Amino acid sequence: MPDTPDTIDIPSGPSRPDLSSWTCPAPLRDQPTVVMGHGGGGVMSAELVQDVFAPAFGGPALAALSDSAAIRIGGVRLAFSTDSFVVRPLFFPGGSIGDLAVNGTVNDLAMSGARAAYLSCGFILEEGVELSLVGRVSQALGSAARAAGVEVATGDTKVVEAGHGDGIYINTAGIGLIPDGVDIRPQRVAPGDLVIVSGAIGLHGVAIMSVREGLEFGVEIQSDCAALGGLVGTMLAVTPDLHALRDPTRGGLAAALNEIATASGTGIEIRERNVPVPPEVSSACAFLGLDPMYVANEGKLVAFVPRQDADAVLEAMHAHPLGGQAAIIGECVEHHPGMVVAHTGLGGTRVVDLPIGEQLPRIC
């Protein structure tokens, strides 16, 4: 783990933040009502989907429970995804809710190997929100769409009474074409595959926390919010035989690894020293008692690549602006199927569990 900076500026006196608001408590698993942990991307989120939504909706396309559904219409193979964004604050270092609304859906499509083509966009506005703020968010969303090479083709607007929203919520859905010969899904992961992360982790979650709670860590920490379609295209140009891709958003890298391990029935072993954690993220997490492995990202991916292709894929990633810090962090193994194990810098091992809820809610 990288060394921490020499100085950390911590608020004191009356301006010191309320520490009780920083984490999402892990409630009882038989909780009869919805709690924040149900939206955290961890065990509670999975149980909500598996026990409530999936039985109600059914269908083979949904059964895969991937970031996007791979569907075939008229002989054409498409990826289809939707996502909702409720981040607070609306603007943060490195991005905004408008950027997230585009990049989040584009990235979900990219994790199937698809290049996004069209998006829908739904705005839910709270009565009383300033139109100038709506305009700023819209401009950010439009700019992000153009940068990602995707068109906003349709949309919807709803307004709720004052006090029944949080300014602006956004939903986006997207479609994209999956190239012939590309079959990216967790079930293809096999023992011997190497695990590659595309860059430094934890930046988005710490950036959101720093502005939300008024913390300073010696340097400004910016979100890594970015569209990953171009990076995935670069990887596919090396080999179409990428086994699985996942963008580690809610629940962080730990949640993404656990989801792949469970879906593939393989064990995953990583080396903590190989995981790129920026010094500012490391120091912030040490101060707050957080694990960077569980902190959200919005511009990173984790790839499961056949061993014989890993070096070539890694070299191509290094040549792309969003993959300069890509690193091989581990491999898939036959033993302890469905479990993620980390080899620590001290020579020990620890189990990396799927989180129950989320360390920091409302990060996307």
Side-chain angles (χ1 to χ4, degrees):
M1 196 73 71
D3 294 333
T4 59
D6 293 331
T7 61
I8 301 176
D9 297 325
I10 303 171
S12 60
S15 63
R16 188 178 181 89
D18 178 7
L19 303 184
S20 65
S21 67
W22 287 0
T23 61
C24 181
L28 296 175
R29 297 282 290 280
D30 61 354
Q31 176 68 249
T33 60
V34 173
V35 296
M36 292 300 294
H38 283 116
V43 173
M44 295 186 70
S45 292
E47 290 178 345
L48 179 65
V49 172
Q50 293 166 2
D51 297 342
V52 178
F53 298 138
F57 304 154
L62 180 64
L65 296 179
S66 298
D67 286 339
S68 61
I71 57 178
R72 190 175 293 275
I73 300 178
V76 177
R77 195 156 170 253
L78 299 173
F80 178 40
S81 185
T82 186
D83 208 343
S84 300
F85 302 87
V86 297
V87 66
R88 178 173 57 86
L90 298 177
F91 287 84
F92 46 83
S96 70
I97 191 173
D99 300 281
L100 284 175
V102 171
N103 295 339
T105 296
V106 166
N107 291 348
D108 283 347
L109 296 173
M111 297 306 104
S112 295
R115 191 66 182 257
Y118 296 99
L119 294 180
S120 70
C121 177
F123 273 78
I124 300 175
L125 307 176
E126 183 183 12
E127 181 184 23
V129 68
E130 295 181 0
L131 285 176
S132 60
L133 182 59
V134 178
R136 288 178 61 201
V137 170
S138 300
Q139 288 294 327
L141 193 153
S143 296
R146 289 186 288 273
V150 64
E151 181 180 347
V152 178
T154 188
D156 180 57
T157 304
K158 293 292 186 295
V159 177
V160 298
E161 296 88 346
H164 290 263
D166 197 8
I168 300 173
Y169 298 152
I170 301 177
N171 172 273
T172 49
I175 57 172
L177 285 171
I178 301 176
D180 292 338
V182 173
D183 183 17
I184 299 175
R185 50 191 172 89
Q187 292 76 15
R188 295 195 63 222
V189 171
D193 286 356
L194 296 188
V195 183
I196 302 175
V197 66
S198 64
I201 66 169
L203 290 164
H204 178 72
V206 173
I208 293 293
M209 177 172 49
S210 65
V211 294
R212 186 183 296 172
E213 305 296 346
L215 299 176
E216 296 181 5
F217 297 104
V219 295
E220 182 181 64
I221 301 174
Q222 293 207 346
S223 169
D224 59 346
C225 184
L228 297 170
L231 177 60
V232 172
T234 295
M235 298 165 68
L236 288 173
V238 175
T239 175
D241 192 31
L242 302 178
H243 285 174
L245 297 173
R246 188 60 55 95
D247 56 335
T249 53
R250 295 176 303 168
L253 182 59
L257 294 175
N258 272 277
E259 290 167 4
I260 298 295
T262 300
S264 64
T266 63
I268 297 176
E269 294 187 356
I270 64 170
R271 296 197 174 274
E272 285 188 335
R273 284 183 171 175
N274 293 354
V275 179
V277 181
E280 59 271 27
V281 170
S282 179
S283 62
C285 288
F287 166 60
L288 298 170
L290 304 178
D291 185 340
M293 290 282 291
Y294 294 90
V295 177
N297 312 272
E298 288 292 346
K300 299 297 185 298
L301 64 80
V302 57
F304 294 77
V305 183
R307 184 179 296 271
Q308 66 270 19
D309 297 321
D311 287 340
V313 169
L314 185 65
E315 182 179 359
M317 295 174 75
H318 285 161
H320 191 278
L322 296 180
Q325 293 180 285
I328 296 174
I329 63 170
E331 64 179 321
C332 298
V333 296
E334 292 183 359
H335 45 285
H336 56 75
M339 183 180 296
V340 181
V341 172
H343 296 274
T344 70
L346 297 176
T349 59
R350 68 180 180 101
V351 174
V352 181
D353 288 325
L354 187 67
I356 298 296
E358 186 174 34
Q359 295 183 112
L360 182 69
R362 302 284 299 278
I363 44 76
C364 65

